[in-house]
Amino acid sequence: MTQDSRQRLLLVDDEPANLQVLRHILQDDYRLLFARDGEKALQLAAQERPSLILLDVMMPGLTGLDVCRQLKADPALARIPVIFVTALADPQDEATGFEAGAVDYITKPVSAPIVKARVRTHLSLVRVDELYETRLQIIQRLGRAAEYKDNETGLHVVRMSHYSAILARAAGLGDKAADDILHAAPMHDVGKLGIPDAVLRKPGPLSPEEWEVMRQHARIGREIIGDHDSPLLQMAARIALCHHEKWDGSGYPQGLAGEDIPIEARIVAVADVFDALTSVRPYKSAWPVDKAVNLLIEEKGRHFDPTLVDAFVASLPAIEAIKAQFAEAPGGPTALA
């Protein structure tokens, strides 16, 4: 038997006639689940994980508002969009529905074209969210793979990513860009997957030839991430390629200078160096925060964007809070940075 791959919708109404109306509108395009009370709706939502729920408000026992609030309070179910389908047409009722967590509000008697259009719209938004989540998981997994290759502590990546997000907000990039940088920054060293272990894990100083090999990790990282239409992956690729560029043009791999270096790469450069300096490594002890900050200030206009260094210094309370929250276990990491 061929498995039905259509998206599942949960229809909830205590009146069978109303469920029948919705069934006729939606049955050709979706797999339908039915519940006539709030308890059954919550049970089916947990068991079946529908793509969307069409929910009556006025029901005996648990009302639709109660059901919606319980769904949104459960992390496993909170992402399922809820559309209220109700005879309550007052604007205040609609506002209450949105406050409970619904994404849309359809009044009875329902119009078939409106129901179909609203369902399509919100399912398309679900697909966009799922695609973003999938890409985010790919970025996180590749970032972890690079940590294993480098034998680096994952806390370095966590800290420097949060530092990068704090700095992005301080620099005025806004919450969305800061969140993207938080998620893209862990990919900064993914190119180390392509560096031979003999170079990457060498316990002593690298020779000039070995440094040339090591510097290839920026281009390799860009190649691993590739070209995508996803803004998040595009940002990750820019960070991987450009996080070793320097403000004065003396960095690598392209010798970019000033604002020709992507802003997210300039941000990650500050965060990455600060965390490396203030973390224990087998070849050095952790620097005090004030010593690391002084180096950042000394390198304004040479290694680092001067404006970003000033923003980082102004954000030190938030930076130090992250440093304390994600402190290394006693003994520190077991390998080179």
Side-chain angles (χ1 to χ4, degrees):
M1 180 181 295
T2 303
Q3 186 174 3
D4 191 341
S5 61
R6 294 177 300 171
Q7 290 173 292
R8 286 173 294 183
L9 309 185
L10 173 57
L11 314 183
V12 186
D13 199 303
D14 62 307
E15 292 290 339
N18 292 332
L19 291 178
Q20 188 76 351
V21 169
L22 290 174
R23 183 178 72 82
H24 282 301
I25 294 172
L26 298 167
Q27 65 183 350
D28 290 341
D29 300 310
Y30 306 101
R31 294 171 59 193
L32 303 180
L33 307 166
F34 301 94
R36 291 182 58 186
D37 59 72
E39 293 289 351
K40 182 65 173 179
L42 291 170
Q43 178 185 346
L44 283 174
Q47 290 176 351
E48 302 293 338
R49 304 295 172 91
S51 298
L52 183 144
I53 299 173
L54 290 161
L55 179 60
D56 185 25
V57 174
M58 295 183 295
M59 297 186 296
L62 287 178
T63 68
L65 294 171
D66 296 329
V67 172
C68 189
R69 292 185 183 113
Q70 289 193 36
L71 289 168
K72 299 307 168 184
D74 185 339
L77 305 176
R79 296 177 66 88
I80 303 173
V82 174
I83 298 176
F84 280 127
V85 183
T86 177
L88 298 174
D90 188 271
Q92 183 54 51
D93 294 321
E94 190 170 341
T96 302
F98 286 123
E99 289 169 4
V103 297
D104 212 336
Y105 199 94
I106 300 173
T107 55
K108 299 174 182 175
V110 298
S111 158
I114 289 176
V115 171
K116 289 181 177 182
R118 300 283 181 83
V119 168
R120 279 198 306 269
T121 295
H122 290 291
L123 288 176
S124 69
L125 293 175
V126 168
R127 285 192 290 271
V128 169
D129 286 344
E130 289 174 345
L131 183 58
Y132 179 88
E133 287 297 319
T134 299
R135 287 169 169 168
L136 181 55
Q137 289 173 20
I138 291 170
I139 287 174
Q140 291 169 340
R141 293 304 94 195
L142 280 173
R144 287 297 303 276
E147 293 165 29
Y148 281 111
K149 170 72 172 181
D150 198 15
N151 202 17
E152 173 63 270
T153 169
L155 290 177
H156 163 68
V157 174
V158 171
R159 287 191 302 267
M160 61 81 61
S161 298
H162 281 282
Y163 297 160
S164 297
I166 291 168
L167 181 52
R169 288 188 175 89
L173 270 63
D175 289 341
K176 176 62 167 64
D179 286 343
D180 284 347
I181 290 174
L182 172 70
H183 296 310
M187 291 281 278
H188 69 293
D189 273 343
V190 71
K192 288 182 176 179
L193 290 169
I195 302 301
D197 287 350
V199 173
L200 190 62
R201 300 190 178 187
K202 184 177 178 179
L206 298 181
S207 68
E209 295 77 16
E210 289 167 334
W211 266 118
E212 282 305 309
V213 173
M214 179 65 84
R215 289 190 180 100
Q216 293 304 311
H217 82 273
R219 291 191 185 278
I220 293 170
R222 170 67 180 82
E223 291 168 5
I224 287 173
I225 298 170
D227 296 311
H228 301 276
D229 59 0
S230 161
L232 184 62
L233 286 169
Q234 291 172 3
M235 177 183 286
R238 292 192 297 271
I239 289 172
L241 180 64
C242 299
H243 70 287
H244 283 294
E245 301 288 358
K246 295 183 179 182
W247 185 258
D248 65 3
S250 65
Y252 66 89
Q254 299 177 96
L256 301 178
E259 294 186 358
D260 288 340
I261 306 168
I263 180 64
E264 54 268 24
R266 285 180 266 149
I267 286 170
V268 167
V270 174
D272 191 27
V273 169
F274 175 82
D275 192 69
L277 293 174
T278 56
S279 299
V280 175
R281 295 294 183 265
Y283 52 85
K284 75 170 189 67
S285 59
W287 286 23
V289 168
D290 58 351
K291 182 179 178 182
V293 169
N294 286 338
L295 183 137
L296 296 181
I297 293 171
E298 290 170 7
E299 289 294 320
K300 285 171 56 174
R302 291 198 293 265
H303 191 154
F304 305 114
D305 179 337
T307 302
L308 292 179
V309 172
D310 291 342
F312 189 89
V313 173
S315 303
L316 273 178
I319 297 293
E320 293 192 90
I322 292 295
K323 188 177 187 307
Q325 181 180 355
F326 299 104
E328 301 286 356
T334 59
L336 298 176

